[in-house]
Amino acid sequence: MSSITIRNLNKYYGALHVLRSLDLSIASGEGVVLLGANGCGKSTLMKCLNGLETPQSGSIVIDQNDVTTAKGLRLRSIRRDIGVVFQQFNLVENLTVFQNVLYGAMGQRRGGLLTVWNSLAPKDTREKAMHCLSRVRMADKASSRCRDLSGGQQQRVAIARMLMQSPKIILADEPVASLDPKAGIEVMDLLWEVVREHNMTVFCTLHQLDLAQNYADRIVGMKAGQIVFDSSNSSADKESLAQLYQGDTRVDGASSHENEYAAPNNRPAEIA
């Protein structure tokens, strides 16, 4: 059974054709890594999957819910089952680790921000936040300010925040791009451990061929807005993967739109 089904997806920014008749299916519980050069359309695809961008045509169905037609409360409901791991962490740096993880419960309870504020959060929510921090081995940093953490530690906190949602599907957009190689491997190890424990579906964009081959069940390659490679990890060869970064890799002018998910420095990213 497919967890994510994308059919004939087209996305334009004015005359710029960013996603070109794109088709892709991801099975429930599958770990898929999407590779491709900067500007090829990866981040735009991720934003369409989470309803942050609306394609001009085609469909995205996630667990039998059509994301492309959903709006308002319906879209928020779909997003509750989708956890997102950002490249830039999108933590509120002046707040504590514990407070940032509590934000992950915002979409799960009525009342929004007030129900997850430190002193007002229900006991079970506070206990779950500490459990999530323990799972990413950051419980001892619960009272620390996020600004005082290393990049790898901040990404662990972001994963704990994502776990607060109890999502079925994880979208991870370049989750280790801001980290040094050692911290990147540690974060990928942790992310994949969590995914396997809970039998989640994960769709992850990366640049690093070695990481893709170390973690993915399946590797998909994207070039200039199109899927040009789709293979099980065991069948993927480095020569074919390397060609994703050769020749005409970009959608012309895509750099102005292919930005990472972003939230202002002192506001939590949208999690609902």
Side-chain angles (χ1 to χ4, degrees):
M1 180 178 178
S2 292
S3 185
I4 301 173
T5 303
I6 303 168
R7 289 288 177 263
N8 196 31
L9 198 70
N10 287 279
K11 174 64 180 176
Y12 294 83
Y13 293 111
L16 181 65
H17 199 175
V18 179
L19 301 178
R20 306 181 181 189
S21 303
L22 194 146
D23 291 309
L24 183 66
S25 292
I26 299 174
S28 179
E30 193 173 20
V32 177
V33 168
L34 177 65
L35 292 172
N38 284 334
C40 73
K42 300 192 309 297
S43 289
T44 295
L45 175 58
M46 283 294 196
K47 291 173 184 176
C48 288
L49 285 167
N50 201 30
L52 296 176
E53 292 282 359
T54 303
Q56 276 74 21
S57 64
S59 65
I60 298 172
V61 176
I62 296 181
D63 277 347
Q64 303 181 29
N65 296 299
D66 191 336
V67 177
T68 48
T69 60
K71 299 184 183 302
L73 292 176
R74 180 59 182 158
L75 181 57
R76 289 177 66 85
S77 177
I78 294 171
R79 283 177 176 163
R80 290 189 186 112
D81 289 330
I82 303 173
V84 181
V85 180
F86 305 91
Q87 176 181 336
Q88 299 298 338
F89 321 134
N90 282 352
L91 301 174
V92 185
E93 295 184 352
N94 290 330
L95 296 184
T96 67
V97 165
F98 183 70
Q99 288 171 315
N100 272 274
V101 174
L102 282 176
Y103 279 134
M106 282 179 63
Q108 307 299 319
R109 289 184 175 274
R110 294 182 180 275
L113 185 60
L114 288 178
T115 65
V116 298
W117 194 251
N118 252 6
S119 60
L120 299 176
K123 181 181 178 182
D124 62 330
T125 301
R126 294 167 61 87
E127 289 176 347
K128 184 176 180 180
M130 285 307 303
H131 173 76
C132 291
L133 280 172
S134 295
R135 179 60 193 85
V136 301
R137 298 183 285 277
M138 288 292 292
D140 60 326
K141 298 289 187 181
S143 60
S144 299
R145 302 286 175 181
C146 284
R147 64 170 178 256
D148 298 325
L149 303 180
S150 69
Q153 289 174 325
Q154 289 190 57
Q155 193 61 293
R156 287 173 180 270
V157 174
I159 292 172
R161 179 185 61 188
M162 174 270 294
L163 287 174
M164 282 292 290
Q165 290 180 248
S166 299
K168 298 177 183 176
I169 294 169
I170 307 302
L171 302 179
D173 195 11
E174 300 286 356
V176 299
S178 301
L179 306 179
D180 64 66
K182 181 176 182 294
I185 290 172
E186 290 173 352
V187 165
M188 287 295 291
D189 281 345
L190 176 62
L191 181 60
W192 245 253
E193 285 172 16
V194 167
V195 163
R196 297 310 180 208
E197 281 175 13
H198 298 277
N199 195 33
M200 297 172 179
T201 305
V202 59
F203 188 37
C204 176
T205 66
L206 291 172
H207 282 300
Q208 303 92 331
L209 302 183
D210 56 337
L211 290 182
Q213 292 188 305
N214 285 340
Y215 295 97
D217 299 322
R218 180 169 144 222
I219 298 175
V220 174
M222 194 170 182
K223 196 169 185 178
Q226 297 177 303
I227 300 296
V228 296
F229 182 91
D230 190 343
S231 171
S232 67
N233 194 346
S234 60
S235 301
D237 64 276
K238 288 193 174 182
E239 183 177 348
S240 296
L241 295 175
Q243 290 178 3
L244 296 171
Y245 301 90
Q246 299 171 2
D248 185 10
T249 62
R250 302 172 65 89
V251 177
D252 289 342
S255 59
S256 62
H257 300 285
E258 279 290 288
N259 298 319
E260 309 304 328
Y261 292 88
N265 290 337
N266 291 314
R267 293 174 57 196
E270 181 177 4
I271 300 171

